[in-house]
Amino acid sequence: MNTPIEYHDLDPARFFSEVAASYRPAILRGFVRYWPAVRAAQQSPEALCQYVLGLASNAEVDAVMTPPAERGRLFYKPDMEGFNFVRNKVPVARVIEQLARYSQFDAPPSVAVQSALIDDCLPRFPLENVAPALPPSARPRLWLGNTITTPAHFDESYNLACVVSGARRFTLFPPGQVDNLYIGPLDFAPTPTPISMVNFRDPDYAQHPRFREALQHALVADLLPGDALYIPTLWWHHVQSTGPLNMMVNYWWKNGQAVDSASPAFDALLAALKALNA
């Protein structure tokens, strides 16, 4: 497996002309290293928690929890009749309290806030931690938790994922690899779009033999605090976060560069998904 192209100390003004225009994933090392949130995280987990609590409102966010036996993988129940996690609506402060408590466990449950609109739950965050070179419509979203694995899926928008705390590994595949990723039900998935049924931690090649071919096209991005990853629309991405406190902020947007219904990649993806669902 290869790694995406890397940019160091990228001038934000060059982001759209040199990075987004290429329709290839890219690692932006240190892109948000100046954020107060990142600096707090580099001091200690406690410093980041205090920083976030100082910004938090009482607005409730969606939080998921998986039992320890699942090892943080968000997936289906064995009978495919539901998911292996429970979902609650709680304030961010409550999630931080849970993470602090579970950090003392040898085998804790996995907890994560996923895609919470920061304007609601941390309203001052965008004023202090400014995303460079993005359209105003790209509003920040919060991902906060401990060890969580989100199966490979795709977004219908461009994505800039900025790591604040902890380590995250993204494994990315171009849209054309859809047939080799063994996609699950199109209308029933733990993410907004369908997911790969392959367990990346322990692939069953007898059940999913074509996944070997997918891995030949995979790009792996290991991100640390202050790093960002640009993910073009429709690129599949599997996301693994590890450790007692992980925080990421991402932005989705669509613009004139977005892949539309006339795009060969979009057409190929839709055709493959329809064929899988036939």
Side-chain angles (χ1 to χ4, degrees), residues 217-242:
H217 301 269
L219 300 176
V220 175
D222 289 310
L223 303 186
L224 295 174
D227 293 340
L229 177 66
Y230 165 65
I231 306 173
T233 181
L234 304 183
W235 272 71
W236 297 89
H237 47 287
H238 174 278
V239 191
Q240 181 178 1
S241 62
T242 54

Side-chain angles (χ1 to χ4, degrees), residues 58-278:
N58 292 323
E60 293 184 332
V61 298
D62 284 327
V64 298
M65 178 184 293
T66 67
E70 300 294 339
R71 298 175 64 186
R73 184 188 184 208
L74 302 179
F75 201 63
Y76 297 94
K77 291 181 177 179
D79 60 6
M80 294 291 292
E81 292 297 320
F83 304 129
N84 67 348
F85 56 85
V86 295
R87 191 183 299 275
N88 296 301
K89 278 191 165 294
V90 294
V92 168
R94 173 62 175 159
V95 176
I96 289 178
E97 176 188 321
Q98 289 178 309
L99 292 171
R101 184 167 72 254
Y102 293 151
S103 69
Q104 306 302 312
F105 290 22
D106 291 333
S110 292
V111 177
V113 173
Q114 295 201 302
S115 189
L117 189 61
I118 283 180
D119 290 346
D120 295 334
C121 62
L122 304 175
R124 297 204 320 273
F125 186 95
L127 302 176
E128 299 182 10
N129 303 269
V130 179
L134 295 181
S137 61
R139 304 311 301 162
R141 291 183 175 269
L142 175 67
W143 306 73
L144 176 69
N146 49 15
T147 296
I148 285 284
T149 297
T150 302
H153 62 287
F154 68 89
D155 298 325
E156 296 181 45
S157 302
Y158 285 93
N159 187 355
L160 183 67
C162 304
V163 175
V164 173
S165 174
R168 287 186 184 247
R169 166 168 284 195
F170 288 76
T171 306
L172 305 114
F173 303 87
Q177 287 303 304
V178 57
D179 287 340
N180 298 326
L181 291 174
Y182 297 89
I183 306 307
L186 302 188
D187 56 354
F188 180 58
T191 60
T193 57
I195 66 167
S196 169
M197 300 296 288
V198 180
N199 184 346
F200 282 34
R201 184 173 58 236
D202 185 21
D204 183 343
Y205 290 113
Q207 186 176 9
H208 303 129
R210 294 194 309 275
F211 185 59
R212 294 184 188 274
E213 173 65 20
L215 291 176
Q216 297 300 311
H217 301 269
L219 300 176
V220 175
D222 289 310
L223 303 186
L224 295 174
D227 293 340
L229 177 66
Y230 165 65
I231 306 173
T233 181
L234 304 183
W235 272 71
W236 297 89
H237 47 287
H238 174 278
V239 191
Q240 181 178 1
S241 62
T242 54
L245 180 64
N246 274 267
M247 179 173 169
M248 185 182 77
V249 173
N250 93 298
Y251 305 81
W252 283 309
W253 74 95
K254 295 181 179 180
N255 58 25
Q257 297 172 338
V259 175
D260 58 26
S261 58
S263 162
F266 187 81
D267 290 343
L269 180 58
L270 285 184
L273 288 173
K274 290 176 181 177
L276 291 170
N277 202 36

